[in-house]
Amino acid sequence: MLTKTVQIPTADGLADAFVAHPGGGGRHPGVLLYPDAFGIRPTIQEMARELADHGYYVLVPNVFHREGATPVVELPEHIGEADRATLIERLMPLIMDLTRARFQGDADAYLGFLAAQPEVGAGPVAVTGYCIGGLLATRTAEAHPVQVAALAAFHAPVAADGPETLRRLTADIHFGHAETDLTPEGLDELNGTLEASGVAYTSEIYPGTVHGFTMADTDAFDPAGLQHHWDRLLPLLARTLTHG
């Protein structure tokens, strides 16, 4: 296992990013992982390492790089509910500032970086994300149908850009929703849009979960929900990306 921090040139300066990939040489499928709003930190790095352990080259960008290098905001070791409210108040202007148009150049840069790495195999990549990162993953997949073969998003506002974005998706999809984020009726509406597009997808509410359930350093963490997430994500990557 090899890890490092890299700097990716974007139209608005350098974006720092965390990389994890298998050692020992060879080329591996690329995975672009967008973190939740709290950004790159030990929990996210550990998730990237887990994916790399399964044979992937994983890139985790600092999506708020315009504000500065990681950490953009200081985080406690464990993010409790009181911490969450304060942090989200601080981060919300950065989230709102990361418009679809502004983000597009960033996504181009991240995918370009992956394609240029000698450890990354030829062929399409996967994008996955958590919370706001799931929306960014969806935007990336919609804008790059040739480069992106798989899309996964967890406790994420994947429909925030409207149904037209969802209808343009071509990647194989898994959406894992928190029980507190989406009603059964909302799930039916979302899945109906995906069904009409003809894309291969699974989209489900994870029972008993709240927003942020995959994040082990928060009060929202649900171990069963995290395992469910791996049980969906890893097979998606295995069937859509080419190893070797």
Side-chain angles (χ1 to χ4, degrees):
M1 171 65 60
L2 300 176
T3 63
K4 60 184 175 181
T5 298
V6 299
Q7 302 289 328
I8 301 175
T10 77
D12 293 322
L14 293 175
D16 56 298
F18 177 78
V19 166
H21 64 87
R27 305 180 76 184
H28 313 281
V31 176
L32 175 55
L33 188 160
Y34 292 112
D36 63 359
F38 301 134
I40 303 170
R41 58 195 193 280
T43 289
I44 292 291
Q45 291 171 336
E46 183 55 37
M47 296 174 85
R49 290 188 184 96
E50 177 74 17
L51 282 175
D53 273 339
H54 286 85
Y56 300 101
Y57 184 108
V58 185
L59 175 67
V60 187
N62 169 18
V63 300
F64 299 136
H65 62 87
R66 293 171 182 83
E67 183 72 7
T70 301
V72 173
V73 297
E74 293 298 326
L75 298 172
E77 186 174 339
H78 182 84
I79 302 170
E81 281 307 306
D83 302 310
R84 177 185 289 274
T86 301
L87 290 167
I88 291 299
E89 183 178 5
R90 167 71 177 84
L91 289 165
M92 189 54 69
L94 306 185
I95 295 171
M96 299 303 293
D97 192 50
L98 195 61
T99 62
R100 185 183 177 93
R102 175 170 287 184
F103 170 72
Q104 188 56 61
D106 290 350
D108 294 347
Y110 304 149
L111 290 173
F113 175 88
L114 276 176
Q117 301 315 298
E119 303 90 353
V120 176
V125 303
V127 292
T128 184
Y130 304 85
C131 183
I132 184 62
L135 175 59
L136 300 181
T138 302
R139 288 175 175 174
T140 302
E142 182 264 330
H144 297 273
V146 175
Q147 290 172 272
V148 176
L151 162 64
F154 302 91
H155 44 83
V158 294
D161 290 337
E164 286 306 313
T165 292
L166 298 175
R167 292 190 186 106
R168 287 192 291 267
L169 292 171
T170 59
D172 281 16
I173 295 168
H174 176 70
F175 291 152
H177 311 283
E179 199 170 73
T180 57
D181 283 346
L182 195 65
T183 64
E185 293 76 19
L187 179 67
D188 288 343
E189 181 177 357
L190 172 63
N191 290 356
T193 300
L194 296 174
E195 190 74 30
S197 73
V199 71
Y201 78 94
T202 56
S203 173
E204 60 185 313
I205 295 171
Y206 287 24
T209 58
V210 299
H211 182 76
F213 62 83
T214 60
M215 296 295 133
D217 59 351
T218 74
D219 280 355
F221 179 55
D222 182 282
L226 176 63
Q227 185 57 52
H228 192 169
H229 140 280
W230 289 124
D231 292 343
R232 294 292 188 263
L233 178 58
L234 292 173
L236 172 68
L237 301 183
R239 70 174 175 265
T240 55
L241 301 184
T242 302
H243 288 262

